């Protein structure tokens, strides 16, 4: 296709009209392209509405249909984001509770979450699943010796930064005259009697850092977290793949990308157990040759990601928004059934019924 040069908004509208897209109000169309990215609202959705691809042509489709569908997709994304936020908060609470119960019962042990001895040993990462794939960096970070490359809980300046860069963490509130930092934990450089509990510190972590923690926790501690999510100790690797998918979905939405085009990147690999547990349909399936794995499965679409999320947090409101979007299309467009079916295929759902079952 080649690289396309930038075009004026009016020229973009003229091109759309030449493809038989209805633009009844030119000023409204200009305002739409002023408010929204053409690549997102037009290019990202045009395959749903096109009657012909070469040359591109629409039939009884208006620019308002693009606008409506775009904003309906944003509403769906908002509901997914709420579910992801709930999942993340639940994960933070579970990790902080079980770790604190195991290692931080006394005041002087408040900062034990910065003691690397309370996590897995480096030898446990030998032969680790996907250790040459997306988990390679996670293992390297755990084994890092240079301070700047270490996991943030093990960086010598972590507690100082935590206090000084978060206004809601007041050093006066977290100072205790009885506190004495034990060996191997971090201390606040300005006052050695300041310690911040894990359940406070964990709220400042990104979803990505939570994933690192779930790799680093000892088996018994992670088993307790898994139990909170209805899983067993044997499901650890499956859960870590769950986190991989949900992180990608979270980032996709947070960066304002078009929801229907969600697909996990090819470098994120999935174990067979994970694919089979959730009955996923990855674009690329893993291969085995002479009893040795050659490649892993990868690349799943929105429907499979929602199927995974629904196992841990209800996607009922998300499905409700999908239903509203399909209804809006049926009410406004002559060939809505065709367009709705294209959306269903675009997100990787076998059928509308399968999507409705995610409630």
């Amino acid at each position: 296709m080649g690289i396309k040069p930038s075009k004026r908004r009016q020229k973009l509208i003229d091109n759309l009209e030449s493809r038989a897209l209805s633009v009844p109000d030119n000023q409204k169309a200009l305002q739409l392209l002023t408010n929204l990215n053409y690549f997102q609202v037009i290019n990202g959705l045009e395959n749903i509405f096109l009657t012909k691809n070469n040359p591109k042509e629409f039939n009884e489709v208006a620019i308002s249909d693009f606008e409506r569908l775009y904003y309906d997709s944003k509403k769906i994304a908002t509901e997914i984001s709420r579910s992801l936020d709930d999942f993340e908060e639940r994960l933070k609470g579970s990790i902080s509770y079980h770790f604190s119960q195991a290692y931080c019962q006394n005041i002087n042990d408040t900062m034990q979450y910065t003691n690397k001895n309370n996590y897995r040993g480096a030898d446990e990462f030998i032969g680790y699943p996907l250790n040459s794939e997306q988990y390679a960096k996670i293992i390297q970070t755990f084994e890092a010796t240079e301070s700047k490359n270490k996991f943030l809980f093990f960086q010598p300046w972590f507690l100082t930064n935590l206090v000084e860069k978060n206004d809601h963490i007041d050093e006066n509130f977290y100072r205790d005259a009885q506190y004495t930092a034990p060996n191997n934990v971090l201390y606040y450089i300005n006052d050695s009697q300041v310690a911040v509990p894990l359940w406070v510190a964990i709220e400042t972590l990104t979803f990505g850092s939570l994933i690192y923690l779930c790799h680093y926790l000892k088996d018994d501690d992670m088993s307790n977290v898994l139990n909170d999510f209805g899983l067993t100790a044997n499901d650890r690797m499956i859960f870590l793949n769950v986190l991989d998918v949900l992180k990608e979905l979270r980032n996709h939405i947070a960066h304002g990308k078009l929801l229907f085009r969600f697909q996990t990147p090819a470098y994120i690999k999935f174990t067979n157990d994970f694919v089979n547990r959730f009955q996923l349909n990855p674009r690329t399936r893993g291969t085995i040759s002479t009893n040795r794995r050659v490649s892993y499965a990868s690349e799943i679409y929105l429907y499979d990601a929602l199927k995974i999320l629904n196992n841990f947090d209800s996607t009922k409101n998300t499905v409700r928004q999908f239903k509203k979007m399909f209804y809006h299309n049926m009410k406004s467009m002559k060939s809505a059934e065709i367009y709705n079916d294209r959306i269903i295929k675009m997100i990787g759902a076998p059928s509308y019924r399968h999507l409705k079952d995610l409630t």
Side-chain angles (χ1 to χ4, degrees), residues 119-260:
Y119 297 86
R120 281 178 148 180
D123 59 320
E124 294 184 66
F125 290 108
I126 298 173
Y128 198 63
L130 302 174
N131 62 358
S132 297
E133 310 296 342
Q134 69 262 31
Y135 299 157
K137 184 179 179 182
I138 292 173
I139 297 170
Q140 290 168 6
T141 300
F142 186 80
E143 297 172 345
T145 55
E146 259 192 282
S147 294
K148 65 178 182 178
N149 297 327
K150 292 180 179 180
F151 179 62
L152 76 170
F153 278 0
F154 309 145
Q155 294 174 354
W157 51 79
F158 167 73
L159 181 56
T160 300
N161 284 347
L162 182 68
V163 174
E164 295 186 350
K165 294 185 178 181
N166 292 278
D167 291 341
H168 67 284
I169 299 178
D170 185 349
E171 64 181 89
N172 294 317
F173 184 84
Y174 293 105
R175 178 185 295 111
D176 193 310
Q178 304 301 314
Y179 176 73
T180 301
N183 294 331
N184 299 317
V185 305
L186 302 183
Y187 61 91
Y188 181 44
I189 193 169
N190 296 325
D191 189 336
S192 62
Q193 292 186 314
V194 169
V196 180
L198 176 56
W199 58 85
V200 176
I202 204 167
E203 291 300 323
T204 67
L205 265 58
T206 63
F207 196 92
S209 293
L210 291 178
I211 292 178
Y212 278 59
L213 269 183
C214 288
H215 282 271
Y216 298 161
L217 291 177
K218 290 182 177 180
D219 286 338
D220 287 347
D221 303 321
M222 191 60 197
S223 179
N224 290 327
V225 173
L226 291 168
N227 185 63
D228 284 347
F229 286 86
L231 301 174
T232 68
N234 293 331
D235 295 324
R236 183 170 190 161
M237 293 310 303
I238 290 175
F239 189 67
L240 292 173
N241 260 168
V242 166
L243 299 182
D244 292 334
V245 172
L246 298 188
K247 185 193 80 167
E248 293 302 322
L249 181 57
R250 186 182 186 278
N251 290 346
H252 187 92
I253 293 172
H255 295 153
K257 295 180 180 179
L258 192 63
L259 182 65
F260 303 148

Side-chain angles (χ1 to χ4, degrees), residues 214-317:
C214 288
H215 282 271
Y216 298 161
L217 291 177
K218 290 182 177 180
D219 286 338
D220 287 347
D221 303 321
M222 191 60 197
S223 179
N224 290 327
V225 173
L226 291 168
N227 185 63
D228 284 347
F229 286 86
L231 301 174
T232 68
N234 293 331
D235 295 324
R236 183 170 190 161
M237 293 310 303
I238 290 175
F239 189 67
L240 292 173
N241 260 168
V242 166
L243 299 182
D244 292 334
V245 172
L246 298 188
K247 185 193 80 167
E248 293 302 322
L249 181 57
R250 186 182 186 278
N251 290 346
H252 187 92
I253 293 172
H255 295 153
K257 295 180 180 179
L258 192 63
L259 182 65
F260 303 148
R261 299 178 76 167
F262 172 77
Q263 177 182 329
T264 57
Y267 76 87
I268 300 292
K269 307 298 184 182
F270 307 124
T271 65
N272 280 351
D273 287 343
F274 172 70
V275 172
N276 294 335
R277 171 68 65 88
F278 298 106
Q279 297 182 314
L280 306 177
N281 185 32
R283 180 171 179 266
T284 304
R285 294 192 172 273
T287 58
I288 296 177
S289 176
T290 60
N291 298 321
R292 184 178 66 85
R293 176 160 294 285
V294 177
S295 64
Y296 288 95
S298 64
E299 299 171 89
I300 63 171
Y301 299 97
L302 180 62
Y303 169 73
D304 274 348
L306 292 178
K307 193 194 301 186
I308 294 165
L309 179 58
N310 190 50
N311 276 266
F312 304 101
D313 196 275
S314 174
T315 56
K316 183 177 181 179
N317 289 335

Side-chain angles (χ1 to χ4, degrees), residues 332-351:
S332 305
M333 308 185 74
K334 183 177 179 180
S335 301
E337 287 188 18
I338 295 173
Y339 305 141
N340 288 346
D341 187 58
R342 288 177 181 174
I343 293 170
I344 290 167
K345 285 183 171 61
M346 196 174 186
I347 66 172
S351 69

